[in-house]
Amino acid sequence: NAGVTQTPKFQVLKTGQSMTLQCAQDMNHEYMSWYRQDPGMGLRLIHYSVGAGITDQGEVPNGYNVSRSTTEDFPLRLLSAAPSQTSVYFCASSSPRAARTEAFFGQGTRLTVV
Amino acid sequence: KQEVTQIPAALSVPEGENLVLNCSFTDSAIYNLQWFRQDPGKGLTSLLLIQSSQREQTSGRLNASLDKSSGRSTLYIAASQPGDSATYLCAVRGSQGNLIFGKGTKLSVKP
């Protein structure tokens, strides 16, 4: 039972580089989201998706893109990495009836931008 | 805009003590509230989920209560153990389905 899988676990980028953080879930959840966690700031929502082909912005979307071509996958793209994007990134998913069910989180991707 | 506050930010107790962690939220129009545990360098582990229509949920030594009208939830940990040391996060789910998190309470249980 894999749950929510994030790759990579660690990444170091140079300023200006681009990369994609991968997130996959095997629970047939329609709702998926990306958060970033920073010291003193807590977890903040970046982007979310309520189903394949549907995405929307969260609280801190600037500098990030998402797409949702399948139910299982929800990648997060950094277009041009900046030191301010140094953070720990978490992907989460929950069932189609998102209001009633618990959210499951991946183990996180620790990103450092130098 | 929904805001979630957790008090205290940090707590240190001796082993065996019963303790209460507090969570408050500004908008009572929530679908549910979820308590998580996070160990250093790790992901979030779900502890308890309380629906908006429920008053409390229990799992082992953990009991979470919800008073939606006053915008409060508490997580009660009985007979604390050193293995309970972690950061505890409270999150509320609103109408859009998104979770809004508090900043957490860092718990240290001393042997």
Side-chain angles (χ1 to χ4, degrees):
Chain A
N1 187 8
V4 180
T5 302
Q6 290 184 236
T7 56
K9 288 185 170 55
F10 301 93
Q11 183 71 48
V12 178
L13 285 180
K14 293 182 179 179
T15 297
Q17 285 185 317
S18 62
M19 78 159 295
T20 299
L21 280 63
Q22 302 291 344
C23 176
Q25 52 90 9
D26 61 359
M27 298 173 281
N28 199 32
H29 286 172
E30 288 195 357
Y31 185 88
M32 297 185 73
S33 53
W34 278 100
Y35 293 83
R36 60 179 288 174
Q37 185 176 36
D38 302 291
M41 301 294 292
L43 281 105
R44 293 179 292 169
L45 182 66
I46 305 172
H47 285 285
Y48 65 99
S49 169
V50 298
I54 306 169
T55 63
D56 207 344
Q57 297 180 349
E59 182 183 357
V60 287
N62 292 341
Y64 308 95
N65 270 358
V66 292
S67 60
R68 185 91 179 274
S69 56
T70 67
T71 299
E72 294 77 21
D73 301 298
F74 190 42
L76 178 72
R77 298 182 187 85
L78 279 69
L79 308 174
S80 177
S84 61
Q85 293 179 304
T86 293
S87 186
V88 182
Y89 292 84
F90 289 100
C91 177
S93 75
S94 57
S95 84
R97 290 193 295 165
R100 295 293 179 197
T101 62
E102 64 184 317
F104 295 87
F105 280 74
Q107 288 300 300
T109 295
R110 188 173 296 273
L111 175 68
T112 301
V113 182
V114 299
Chain B
K1 179 185 173 184
Q2 177 75 270
E3 292 183 2
V4 180
T5 302
Q6 290 187 247
I7 295 173
L11 181 64
S12 182
V13 300
E15 182 177 4
E17 194 162 294
N18 302 325
L19 59 99
V20 174
L21 307 181
N22 296 293
C23 173
S24 62
F25 47 96
T26 56
D27 186 351
S28 61
I30 64 170
Y31 281 118
N32 58 44
L33 184 145
Q34 197 167 351
W35 282 94
F36 295 88
R37 168 185 173 138
Q38 185 177 30
D39 293 290
K42 303 295 185 182
L44 280 69
T45 300
S46 179
L47 297 174
L48 289 164
L49 172 73
I50 311 179
Q51 301 297 346
S52 60
S53 58
Q54 296 177 319
R55 297 286 292 184
E56 65 179 88
Q57 281 287 331
T58 298
S59 176
R61 294 183 294 108
L62 304 180
N63 176 279
S65 68
L66 175 64
D67 184 342
K68 198 175 76 162
S69 60
S70 67
R72 294 181 187 175
S73 177
T74 61
L75 179 66
Y76 175 83
I77 302 177
S80 58
Q81 303 170 358
D84 294 330
S85 298
T87 296
Y88 291 79
L89 296 163
C90 162
V92 298
R93 188 184 293 278
S95 58
Q96 289 186 321
N98 298 321
L99 285 173
I100 308 298
F101 283 86
K103 294 181 180 179
T105 294
K106 186 175 183 179
L107 173 65
S108 175
V109 181
K110 305 296 186 183

